[in-house]
Amino acid sequence: MHSALGAGRSLLIGGRWEAADDMMPVTNPWSGEALGAVACADAGHVERAVASALRGAAAMRLLSTGERSRILHAAAAALEADNERFAAAITTETGKPIRAARREVARAVNTLRLSAEEAVRLAGETIAFDSFPGGEARSGYYVYEPVGVIAAITPFNDPLNLVCHKLGPAFAAGNSVVLKPAEQAPLVAIMLARLLLAAGLPEEALCLLTGRGSDFGDALTGHADVAMVSFTGGAHVGEAICRAAGIKRLAMELGGNGPVIVMDDANIEKAASACVAGAFGAAGQNCIGVQRIYVHDTVFNAFQAALLAALKALRVGDPMDGETDVGPMIGATEAERMIAWTVEAVSRGATLLAGGERAGTLVRPTLLANVPDDASIACHEAFGPVVSLFRFTDLDAAIDAANRADYAIHAALFSESLRTVRYAAARLRAAGVMINDSTDYRLDAMPFGGAGRGNMGREGVRYAAREMSQTKVICFHDA
Ligand code: NAD
């Protein structure tokens, strides 16, 4: 990968790939193998990238919607044709099991196609100016205009599809982008940038800056010529970005703490297998992964047994092996944190039912019960392969407990009763409620975001494209 990048020429500025004096390694989290080195951007690179992106924004604005759509369709087709190479790249730089990486590529193709379709659909409408006295002689309409330069900042866990969720809608709406991919997993984003340029994207419409967010994040997000910051990542970083960005358009896709409620009338086998897949897929490094499961007292033992059986059937190990369900975490520090939080919960009375062991970056799927509500593993986003069981008798208490999290994206409920489902769906504080499914379901076309603190904006191509646009009213006075 190092040589494929041209000895670390990983900064895309003004349509050209550049290196930098300062470089950082990219490592395979499973094997520890060095995959290459990428350039570390600094404030000087930001200046040049934003200046280029401003010219790119002018070019994108002039590009017809049909041409934007054609480019995005071409990129989707090229990605589909090269899917296996992209999937392998995701697995080698993140440790995500190859079957999940293939699913991510298929979803990224869909995200680009949805963006291509949105490009020709993003139209305004006429306004009934004569609906209020004084407007009788007026007629007109509104249109969507691009906002300009968008800084897009993405995390490591879906290093391709989450980048597509920024670039696709941004280009569909006629903007340019300065992309800052995750430092641990920037290589697949570089591959995507090359593919977009080859598909005909105007060369200054996309700049890409690799390196550490702490080195140049403030210079980028606080830049006066950046019209919008679209961020996906952790809440602490999101908060720092909001401070540095100041008054500009912000989209914040932050973390979650996925709660699931299992009622006494639920299909226990189905609920258990969905929860295991939702908790341990991508080694739990998933913003909508299952983290807390509230189980009705009368089915608690049966559910626990079914969950343990499904957990024990998981294949843990080499992510390139097509049979593997759970691979490594992104780094040893994150794996150590998972064990530390598990130990903390157990020291405070939790029962360890499975897992709790680590070998390097690999944390065995871990199941806890009797976890105190204020233990770190319950009240913070885990973002790892640890799930906790809680017992309840009263649905309202379970909903209150499920809602007791700073950050919420999805919640889930298993029940066969329509009345229960409708009641809980209305009361759960979440941006999406999955019924008879785990929290871990997302269609890339649906509105997606957070509920509660820090939530700003929605992704899901159509919604993101609108947030990356501004309306302009054109009004004719005929009198
Ligand atoms: P992170 O917040 O550590 O990093 C995300 C990105 O921010 C990286 O590219 C990083 O380099 C950059 N960054 C760091 N400091 C910065 C700064 N000061 N200025 C600008 N950029 C800076 O997140 P992560 O560990 O890569 O990913 C995990 C987090 O992402 C979890 O909290 C997870 O829930 C969240 N996430 C959310 C969604 C969603 O759609 N809501 C999806 C996936 C992941």
Side-chain angles (χ1 to χ4, degrees), residues 205-475:
L206 175 62
C207 293
L208 189 153
L209 299 178
T210 49
R212 300 177 200 90
S214 51
D215 287 351
F216 66 92
D218 288 2
L220 176 61
T221 58
H223 200 293
D225 290 331
V226 168
M228 174 177 182
V229 179
S230 178
F231 171 72
T232 301
H236 293 302
V237 175
E239 190 148 2
I241 287 175
C242 289
R243 292 219 168 85
I247 188 157
K248 58 174 58 114
R249 200 175 280 230
L250 297 168
M252 290 282 136
E253 299 287 336
L254 307 176
N257 185 345
V260 178
I261 296 177
V262 181
M263 290 301 292
D264 48 357
D265 63 347
N267 178 329
I268 296 300
E269 292 297 327
K270 182 179 169 187
S273 71
C275 284
V276 162
F280 302 114
Q285 299 166 119
N286 175 3
C287 61
I288 50 172
V290 173
Q291 184 173 335
R292 297 170 292 147
I293 312 178
Y294 296 89
V295 188
H296 195 277
D297 185 51
T298 54
V299 293
F300 189 92
N301 292 346
F303 180 81
Q304 179 179 305
L307 195 79
L308 265 174
L311 182 155
K312 290 200 169 130
L314 291 171
R315 298 274 294 258
V316 180
D318 182 352
M320 276 310 261
D321 182 338
E323 300 292 304
T324 296
D325 301 302
V326 181
M329 293 189 68
I330 192 69
T333 312
E334 287 75 9
E336 279 162 18
R337 178 178 56 82
M338 276 303 92
I339 298 301
W341 284 10
T342 302
V343 167
E344 179 217 314
V346 170
S347 75
R348 297 188 49 209
T351 313
L352 181 64
L353 297 168
E357 297 138 15
R358 168 177 93 89
T361 50
L362 196 75
V363 174
R364 296 207 73 83
T366 299
L367 179 62
L368 293 165
N370 305 316
V371 176
D373 282 341
D374 61 348
S376 301
I377 200 70
C379 64
H380 299 309
E381 178 183 39
F383 218 63
V386 180
V387 69
S388 303
L389 289 180
F390 301 85
R391 194 186 287 265
F392 76 89
T393 48
D394 171 48
L395 176 59
D396 281 318
I399 292 173
D400 288 345
N403 287 348
R404 210 181 297 130
D406 274 353
Y407 309 103
I409 305 179
H410 285 174
L413 177 83
F414 287 88
S415 171
E416 296 298 313
S417 154
L418 185 59
R419 184 184 294 270
T420 305
V421 164
R422 289 180 66 90
Y423 178 75
R427 279 212 55 212
L428 280 163
R429 189 175 64 102
V433 180
M434 304 298 129
I435 310 297
N436 290 328
D437 204 345
S438 94
T439 46
D440 181 26
Y441 176 73
R442 176 183 185 185
L443 175 75
D444 293 287
M446 75 186 206
F448 182 82
R453 191 169 156 234
N455 147 53
M456 278 183 238
R458 284 289 180 270
E459 290 199 342
V461 175
R462 177 175 173 216
Y463 311 95
R466 275 162 180 66
E467 306 226 356
M468 292 170 165
S469 308
Q470 56 203 352
T471 55
K472 179 191 271 182
V473 172
I474 319 289
C475 178

Side-chain angles (χ1 to χ4, degrees), residues 2 4-24 37-49 52 177-181 186-187 189-191 193-194 197 203 206-212 215-216 220:
H2 192 277
L5 287 179
R9 285 194 287 116
S10 62
L11 305 177
L12 175 62
I13 303 175
R16 287 215 295 277
W17 293 93
E18 302 181 9
D21 296 338
D22 187 14
M23 304 290 288
M24 69 187 291
V38 291
C40 296
D42 60 26
H45 296 110
V46 169
E47 261 325 307
R48 291 199 293 117
S52 164
V177 176
V178 179
L179 170 67
K180 191 249 165 278
L187 302 180
I190 293 170
M191 290 164 65
R194 289 180 183 279
L197 292 177
E203 61 176 18
L206 175 62
C207 293
L208 189 153
L209 299 178
T210 49
R212 300 177 200 90
D215 287 351
F216 66 92
L220 176 61

Side-chain angles (χ1 to χ4, degrees), residues 71-276:
I71 293 164
L72 288 162
H73 270 305
L79 181 57
E80 193 165 44
D82 207 5
N83 59 350
E84 200 50 37
R85 198 170 64 93
F86 274 81
I90 291 172
T91 296
T92 46
E93 69 176 341
T94 66
K96 177 182 283 190
I98 188 70
R99 276 183 292 133
R102 289 186 184 122
R103 272 198 305 279
E104 183 180 340
V105 179
R107 284 183 56 185
V109 170
N110 188 37
T111 303
L112 290 176
R113 287 218 166 103
L114 290 166
S115 303
E117 290 162 8
E118 198 54 37
V120 289
R121 217 186 269 146
L122 190 65
E125 51 187 16
T126 54
I127 299 170
F129 285 102
D130 63 353
S131 59
F132 191 75
E136 292 84 355
R138 290 180 166 85
S139 61
Y141 54 90
Y142 73 86
V143 293
Y144 286 106
E145 292 201 328
V147 294
V149 178
I150 297 178
I153 302 172
T154 51
F156 73 83
N157 61 317
D158 286 329
L160 178 64
N161 194 33
L162 292 178
V163 172
C164 289
H165 268 289
K166 309 277 183 219
L167 302 189
F171 296 146
N175 301 288
S176 67
V177 176
V178 179
L179 170 67
K180 191 249 165 278
E183 41 245 66
Q184 305 97 323
L187 302 180
V188 79
I190 293 170
M191 290 164 65
L192 179 72
R194 289 180 183 279
L195 182 148
L196 278 159
L197 292 177
L201 187 73
E203 61 176 18
E204 293 197 291
L206 175 62
C207 293
L208 189 153
L209 299 178
T210 49
R212 300 177 200 90
S214 51
D215 287 351
F216 66 92
D218 288 2
L220 176 61
T221 58
H223 200 293
D225 290 331
V226 168
M228 174 177 182
V229 179
S230 178
F231 171 72
T232 301
H236 293 302
V237 175
E239 190 148 2
I241 287 175
C242 289
R243 292 219 168 85
I247 188 157
K248 58 174 58 114
R249 200 175 280 230
L250 297 168
M252 290 282 136
E253 299 287 336
L254 307 176
N257 185 345
V260 178
I261 296 177
V262 181
M263 290 301 292
D264 48 357
D265 63 347
N267 178 329
I268 296 300
E269 292 297 327
K270 182 179 169 187
S273 71
C275 284
V276 162

